[in-house]
Amino acid sequence: MIDTLVGIVALTLAAGTPLVIAALGELVVERSGVLNLGVEGMMLIGAVAGFIVTVHTHMPWLGVAAAIVAGAAMALVFAIVAVSLQANQVASGLALSLLGIGLSAFVGQPYVAAVVDPIKAINWPPLSSLPVLGPLLFAYNPLVYVSVALAAGVHLFLLHSRAGLVLRAVGESPRSAHAIGYRVLAIRYAAVLFGGACAGLAGAYLSLAFTPLWSEGMTSGRGWIALALVVFATWRPYRVLLGAWLFGAVTLAQFQVQAAGIEIAPQLLAMLPYAATIVVLAWMSRDAAAIRRHSPASLGKPFHPQR
Amino acid sequence: MTHGNPRLELAGITKRYGDVVANDAIDLAVHAGEIHALLGENGAGKSTLSKIIYGVVRPDAGTLRWEGRAVEIASPGDARRLGIGMVFQHFSLFESLRVVDNIALGEDGPASGAALSASIRGISHAYGLPLDPSRYVHTMSVGERQRVEIVRCLLQSPKLLVMDEPTSVLTPQAVERLFATLRSLAAEGTAILYISHKLAEIRALCDRATILRDGRVTGECDPRAEDQASLARMMIGSDLPHPRHRAAIPGATMLAARALDLPAGDPFGTPLAGVDLDVRAGEIVGIAGISGNGQRELLAALSGERTTRADAVAIDGVGVGHLGIAARRRHGLAYVPEERQGRGAVPELSLADNTLLSASAQGLVRHGIVDRRATRARARDAIAAFRVKAAGPDALAETLSGGNLQKFILAREMQQSPKVLIAAQPTWGVDIGASAEIRQALVDLRDAGAAVLVVSEDLDELFEIADRIAVIARGRLSPAMPVTGTDPEAIGLAMAGEPGARAA
């Protein structure tokens, strides 16, 4: 019984990790007032870049680094169009996603049947072999720990550091931030690049750790879910973590139900993770004033420093 | 007067935006310990000049000298390092952050929360500007927000303090407190550049005045030695127009609110509680109050943007509380909202199209087809009636200046010969000449027998045109008192919601 529960927790975290990483990146982007809908595309580019580099070098961590760079490069394209040239952020972000989906499928074509050396779960002999605590705490993929550390880091940065304060100020009122002398566009660039790097990392986790292979469109919509998570988590890092894990848990539960042969239409079950995550996060964040306090007031609005 | 080098000296400062010359060879000198007024209408170039001084905007030509030596101010950071502090007209505050965070953002070095909070408390008490550093800005009144801006400047012990239209949103009492603070700062040797278009204030506060018109310096004087009329002449180039005003001859109640309750429209709004209001034909009722006290909710409830019980709002005796905007228009309501661009007019549409949007019921649409010719003729009439400066009925609304667009919107609403006209902040951000025309139009409409309701933060305006004044504070509306039976001080106390206001 305990072992089953531990197994469920472990799987939940493993399934939730790409969402955590991608959503935390997007959270920072949106807190700076920029809406980048290109997460799905940046994740796919990260996944395929990481996979290809690992196939050729047999060095999965080099693959991870490549994925981060590739995700950030995609984000740079978006930043040039949407931040510097002030194009519509929604349209540019959607275009970025479509670009990423198509480009990753094209580039990844020759690698569909390839195998890689995956990033393996850690194994620290005395700790990892402890009963219960071992698999519960000390036997995850390293990137799972990275995702938790990232949540803590983003939380500290946003709410307890001066740089985080400046970032929030830019997302709240770029005009005011500009008037007291902050470089709004530079700050937004940095945030967008960070978001791209996170999306790339999330993609690498999928193609190098979670399911170490490449297949076209392998993110299967996780980028979009990450976007929704940021909103339903009302732009707060720990809620992103919670929402992503909840999503992972309900996804697993849905498979359990199907495996147990319970007669529910599979389409309804497939809906469950989305519905459950939305309901829980919406219920948690029903305080309107708190939402206002945490949501970036100028989200999605381009800023022209010269006017 | 102070001798030696001025604290700040501008010579030949010029700034162009495209074809428009915002500042044309401006010379200006501000000395230590002096309160120097920069006087001019909206659009005269005052704000551009203040942005140049604070490093937000770079001049195209001209030099700045700080205590005698030429300097380049490339950023607000540079300005702060020299010792220049600035209080913006439209505050540069972040509503979702606490006071201490807002102030930390304006500091250059990293400051620890506790130490900064302590110095905020210290400074704010020393200058009689009490502030709680841990409060969120969105919970604060406009006057309190301004305190945050001022304290933010004072923490840096500025040698020059620039204040851009600081009193446009304050009650008379808050203005007095501000002036006391500024005088004590000047006595300590701080130079103050005080930007305003309010003549009375400048005469009460300032030692010197530089007057701007159309981007040029048109005069320098000692404002205490001038009278209001002479200052006005320098500022607008002609005599100040005064509306003709005679006693109202009120008729039947045309607009009424009865026990009107309305929950706040957004998390930072103010709910209305039991509002009673009567506006009779042939009178202007003014509603004074500091913004954020329920004006937005009251206007939404009266205009039909938000609906309530049928009998909570009545036009000409008919309960319309449950009806939407278009239905209320058919009952004779006209509405000039606060935001001209986006509420009063669609910025991207032509003036003719904007006419159509609010007057479609009145013969401009036949069998569902727009009568283009009639629509354009109607817009042309509106332009002519109010001498709106616009290229014609096809000019886009966004190309008009604030004052011209406001005149156009008012003209458009008046063309419908309304029984009731509601105007929110009708002259906010409008220059003096256009303001006078707008006020005159409101008075004329009243004399033609309409009931007029004006919601404004500008007490001078209300006392100029209103027959009765009510005060809205924290979502409650006081009974409307005849202007002849009250004065700005009493209204100001009621605006601040202070106890004892009733007795005044």
Side-chain angles (χ1 to χ4, degrees):
Chain A
M1 183 58 202
I2 293 275
D3 285 350
T4 323
L5 275 179
V6 169
I8 289 175
V9 170
L11 279 172
T12 295
L13 264 58
T17 292
L19 296 176
V20 171
I21 299 175
L24 285 171
E26 179 67 12
L27 185 148
V28 170
V29 178
E30 293 191 11
R31 276 280 175 118
S32 81
V34 179
L35 180 65
N36 183 354
L37 296 180
V39 180
E40 178 85 355
M42 297 189 297
M43 275 177 86
L44 278 167
I45 289 290
V48 78
F51 191 81
I52 292 173
V53 166
T54 308
V55 165
H56 290 294
T57 64
H58 306 287
M59 292 161 71
W61 288 104
L62 192 64
V64 168
I68 290 175
V69 171
M74 288 286 281
L76 181 63
V77 173
F78 175 81
I80 291 169
V81 173
V83 177
S84 290
L85 303 178
Q86 290 138 9
N88 181 300
Q89 294 178 7
V90 171
S92 326
L94 288 174
L96 190 72
S97 265
L98 296 176
L99 172 70
I101 292 167
L103 188 62
S104 64
F106 175 70
V107 175
Q109 187 80 53
Y111 296 89
V112 167
V115 273
V116 283
D117 313 293
I119 297 173
K120 293 196 187 63
I122 61 165
N123 184 17
W124 295 335
L127 290 174
S128 303
S129 45
L130 286 173
V132 184
L133 281 185
L136 198 58
L137 292 177
F138 303 109
Y140 293 104
N141 194 284
L143 290 176
V144 175
Y145 299 102
V146 168
S147 74
V148 177
L150 192 64
V154 168
H155 173 83
L156 280 176
F157 167 77
L158 273 182
L159 300 175
H160 298 282
S161 83
R162 181 177 170 80
L165 177 63
V166 172
L167 182 95
R168 284 187 285 144
V170 165
E172 166 81 17
S173 170
R175 196 157 303 285
S176 298
H178 177 69
I180 41 179
Y182 291 104
R183 296 176 59 201
V184 172
L185 296 192
I187 290 162
R188 287 189 161 178
Y189 257 85
V192 169
L193 290 184
F194 176 78
C198 286
L201 179 61
Y205 173 82
L206 287 175
S207 68
L208 296 176
F210 191 56
T211 50
L213 53 84
W214 166 253
S215 68
E216 194 181 320
M218 70 179 299
T219 50
S220 52
R222 285 187 180 84
W224 304 113
I225 296 161
L227 278 169
L229 268 178
V230 176
V231 177
F232 284 111
T234 53
W235 296 273
R236 275 179 275 188
Y238 279 118
R239 293 192 172 192
V240 163
L241 200 63
L242 187 106
W245 287 345
L246 179 73
F247 189 87
V250 183
T251 310
L252 285 175
Q254 161 211 339
F255 291 129
Q256 296 282 335
V257 169
Q258 274 178 331
I262 297 170
E263 288 283 324
I264 302 179
Q267 290 85 350
L268 278 182
L269 284 175
M271 214 177 69
L272 211 60
Y274 304 89
T277 309
I278 289 172
V279 166
V280 169
L281 288 176
W283 179 79
M284 278 177 66
S285 54
R286 59 202 182 286
D287 175 358
I291 293 179
R292 171 65 189 85
R293 202 169 288 158
H294 288 277
S295 60
S298 54
L299 181 62
K301 292 178 199 146
F303 172 70
H304 321 249
Q306 280 316 311
R307 286 207 337 218
Chain B
M1 200 84 284
T2 324
H3 297 285
N5 285 324
R7 184 121 310 151
L8 177 74
E9 189 175 11
L10 308 185
I13 293 288
T14 299
K15 176 74 191 173
R16 287 184 197 85
Y17 290 105
D19 294 337
V20 183
V21 185
N23 285 163
D24 188 358
I26 303 280
D27 298 327
L28 174 72
V30 189
H31 292 266
E34 175 187 67
I35 304 182
H36 192 113
L38 188 59
L39 179 62
E41 291 223 71
N42 292 302
K46 304 180 307 249
S47 285
T48 303
L49 197 63
S50 69
K51 283 181 188 157
I52 289 172
I53 293 171
Y54 199 57
V56 182
V57 169
R58 306 287 298 274
D60 297 327
T63 53
L64 290 95
R65 289 178 164 275
W66 179 257
E67 294 177 334
R69 107 196 121 77
V71 288
E72 204 151 304
I73 305 177
S75 72
D78 287 359
R80 281 197 294 269
R81 274 185 288 281
L82 287 175
I84 301 175
M86 168 116 179
V87 176
F88 293 92
Q89 176 181 13
H90 303 288
F91 302 149
S92 60
L93 294 178
F94 305 94
E95 293 200 347
S96 68
L97 301 181
R98 294 172 305 163
V99 170
V100 59
D101 296 327
N102 267 284
I103 289 178
L105 281 165
E107 299 272 303
D108 286 322
S112 90
L116 186 57
S117 294
S119 44
I120 292 170
R121 283 207 186 83
I123 285 272
S124 65
H125 283 289
Y127 288 98
L129 304 162
L131 266 188
D132 173 2
S134 61
R135 264 180 79 187
Y136 281 92
V137 168
H138 67 78
T139 65
M140 305 174 89
S141 74
V142 187
E144 289 172 312
R145 289 178 196 209
Q146 186 179 50
R147 261 181 236 166
V148 178
E149 290 256 351
I150 296 173
V151 168
R152 173 155 83 184
C153 287
L154 295 186
L155 273 170
Q156 301 167 3
S157 346
K159 292 176 166 177
L160 169 68
L161 186 59
V162 183
M163 308 213 59
D164 191 359
E165 305 267 359
T167 61
S168 55
V169 292
L170 299 184
T171 62
Q173 286 77 16
V175 169
E176 268 315 305
R177 273 198 294 274
L178 174 68
F179 283 7
T181 304
L182 294 181
R183 285 190 191 105
S184 65
L185 278 170
E188 291 165 20
T190 310
I192 295 172
L193 183 63
Y194 186 91
I195 301 173
S196 181
H197 65 259
K198 296 195 177 172
L199 307 171
E201 281 180 1
I202 282 172
R203 291 183 57 232
L205 180 72
C206 301
D207 312 308
R208 297 287 302 161
T210 298
I211 293 123
L212 285 188
R213 188 166 79 228
D214 297 332
R216 283 195 204 91
V217 175
T218 53
E220 220 199 307
C221 62
D222 179 349
R224 289 162 303 191
E226 303 285 331
D227 61 16
Q228 215 132 309
S230 64
L231 284 175
R233 254 195 308 280
M234 281 189 262
M235 182 161 97
I236 63 178
S238 58
D239 282 317
L240 198 55
H242 274 288
R244 308 178 300 277
H245 198 279
R246 51 186 170 77
I249 312 154
T253 296
M254 298 304 284
L255 174 69
R258 290 283 172 268
L260 173 61
D261 296 321
L262 194 72
D266 70 280
F268 299 171
T270 307
L272 294 181
V275 167
D276 283 307
L277 172 71
D278 282 290
V279 188
R280 289 169 293 179
E283 72 166 352
I284 297 179
V285 173
I287 294 186
I290 303 163
S291 75
N293 271 288
Q295 286 95 330
R296 205 181 330 159
E297 286 74 12
L298 179 63
L299 287 164
L302 293 179
S303 69
E305 279 177 34
R306 293 176 63 191
T307 52
T308 52
R309 307 188 322 272
D311 61 344
V313 180
I315 296 173
D316 200 4
V318 183
V320 296
H322 59 301
L323 297 178
I325 299 171
R328 290 192 201 184
R329 279 190 181 282
R330 284 192 286 277
H331 280 91
L333 175 73
Y335 177 40
V336 179
E338 181 174 351
E339 300 106 285
R340 294 181 275 274
Q341 300 278 14
R343 292 277 282 289
V346 183
E348 298 84 3
L349 291 184
S350 71
L351 296 180
D353 289 344
N354 271 299
T355 305
L356 178 72
L357 285 177
S358 78
S360 56
Q362 302 193 345
L364 298 182
V365 178
R366 256 178 296 159
H367 313 299
I369 306 291
V370 174
D371 185 342
R372 292 251 123 226
R373 206 131 58 102
T375 307
R376 296 186 43 170
R378 185 80 62 91
R380 213 174 288 121
D381 288 348
I383 292 169
F386 269 53
R387 294 194 306 283
V388 178
K389 278 182 211 150
D394 297 321
L396 300 187
E398 64 187 355
T399 62
L400 270 64
S401 73
N404 277 303
L405 185 58
Q406 186 73 321
K407 286 200 283 184
F408 177 79
I409 292 170
L410 199 57
R412 176 189 76 185
E413 297 298 312
M414 287 187 179
Q415 279 176 336
Q416 303 173 37
S417 341
K419 292 185 211 166
V420 178
L421 178 90
I422 300 173
Q425 309 283 8
T427 61
W428 193 86
V430 174
D431 62 54
I432 290 188
S435 292
E437 290 180 61
I438 288 168
R439 288 174 192 157
Q440 184 62 54
L442 292 172
V443 171
D444 290 346
L445 186 69
R446 175 203 80 161
D447 291 344
V452 179
L453 181 72
V454 177
V455 177
S456 178
E457 281 182 68
D458 184 344
L459 279 188
D460 297 339
E461 168 169 277
L462 291 181
F463 273 90
E464 191 176 312
I465 61 173
D467 303 302
R468 291 188 296 146
I469 295 185
V471 175
I472 190 163
R474 300 196 187 114
R476 295 177 180 279
L477 188 69
S478 76
M481 291 177 285
V483 272
T484 45
T486 183
D487 57 52
E489 279 63 42
I491 296 291
L493 283 174
M495 281 163 72
E498 283 174 27
R502 274 291 133 78

